[in-house]
Amino acid sequence: MKLVAVLASGRGSNFQAIIDATRSGDITAGRCSRLITDNPGAYAIVRAKEAEIPVSLVDYRTFPSRDRYEDQLIRVMRETDADLFVLAGYMRILGKGIVHEFSGRIMNIHPALLPSFPGLHAQRQALECGVKVAGCTVHLVDEGMDTGPIVLQECVQVIEGDTEESLSERILQREHRCLPRAVQLFCEGRIRVEDGRVRIL
Ligand code: GAR
């Protein structure tokens, strides 16, 4: 059984999807052993408590510098003994040191069909561009911003009259399906990176 640590900054609905998938049997090869958050007000903390998952708070604002924050985050990540770290709405960029130390073991969910629309407000970017199809991407994290080998993607149709909220909600439903699948694949040892691309075994 692999250990999965989730990093989340806010609402935590993707974190909840992982918890639910563990309960329903969609994730069998891993279990969520810790929530790490940078936000003391994150609703993800409430979800963790309900599921009896321990929480580590690493609040960026309480550190004198970015380096000290990264030092503490890396310490907390080491202590989890997790096999996989899942960025589920974690709104901070991880430093190079962290990405390097946990290379191949950090996964991110992004609300766009990467490599289109990286960064913030991905759904708004997609609408402004007039795309007809949007979606979400689970990828392994490298040193870039929302780059790294793609594990799974799912798409949704953009509908006439969509707003940022309505499109985000439709994408979110797919995220909740895609992320637990990717976690299960990782925990089963079925994700292999070859030439910068993911092959699902
Ligand atoms: C999700 O839509 C996730 O894809 C996005 O933040 C939301 C978090 O929702 N992440 C990013 O935009 C990262 N670039 P949640 O807290 O309910 O899971």
Side-chain angles (χ1 to χ4, degrees):
M1 178 73 73
K2 302 281 191 213
L3 296 184
V4 180
V6 174
L7 289 85
S9 298
R11 180 177 57 183
S13 70
N14 278 291
F15 170 48
Q16 187 70 51
I18 293 171
I19 296 170
D20 292 346
T22 311
R23 287 178 176 155
S24 68
D26 288 333
I27 295 177
T28 53
R31 70 175 177 86
C32 185
S33 59
R34 183 160 296 268
L35 170 73
I36 300 173
T37 184
D38 59 329
N39 175 11
Y43 189 69
I45 296 175
V46 176
R47 299 181 191 272
K49 292 206 166 127
E50 190 274 325
E52 297 182 348
I53 294 168
V55 178
S56 296
L57 172 66
V58 188
D59 184 352
Y60 181 81
R61 293 166 303 181
T62 63
F63 293 88
S65 68
R66 181 167 179 94
D67 282 353
R68 294 287 80 73
Y69 160 76
E70 297 267 342
D71 289 347
Q72 177 61 10
L73 184 56
I74 210 165
R75 210 171 295 133
V76 166
M77 288 173 75
R78 280 181 193 136
E79 281 169 10
T80 61
D81 270 333
D83 300 283
L84 172 66
F85 296 91
V86 178
L87 310 185
Y90 191 69
M91 297 319 237
R92 294 198 169 277
I93 294 171
L94 297 183
K96 287 187 171 56
I98 293 179
V99 172
H100 188 253
E101 173 155 343
F102 303 101
S103 173
R105 293 164 52 202
I106 309 176
M107 192 178 260
N108 180 44
I109 177 102
H110 183 75
L113 294 173
L114 292 171
S116 293
F117 315 126
L120 291 175
H121 309 299
Q123 304 94 328
R124 191 190 305 169
Q125 293 183 56
L127 278 179
E128 283 171 0
C129 222
V131 297
K132 304 298 183 205
V133 175
C136 63
T137 302
V138 178
H139 67 95
L140 298 175
V141 171
D142 65 10
E143 288 179 8
M145 149 96 86
D146 296 323
T147 55
I150 291 170
V151 179
L152 292 176
Q153 291 184 305
E154 286 207 41
C155 58
V156 302
Q157 294 295 321
V158 178
I159 298 169
E160 191 69 37
D162 252 336
T163 61
E164 189 178 352
E165 290 68 35
S166 64
L167 180 61
S168 299
E169 179 54 34
R170 201 170 320 113
I171 294 172
L172 195 64
Q173 300 312 315
R174 292 289 188 273
E175 294 184 40
H176 294 165
R177 198 163 69 175
C178 210
L179 186 60
R181 273 186 192 156
V183 169
Q184 171 72 355
L185 286 170
F186 183 97
C187 293
E188 289 177 318
R190 292 174 58 199
I191 295 177
R192 181 178 300 167
V193 182
E194 289 171 0
D195 297 330
R197 291 171 191 215
V198 167
R199 193 154 76 85
I200 311 277
L201 304 176

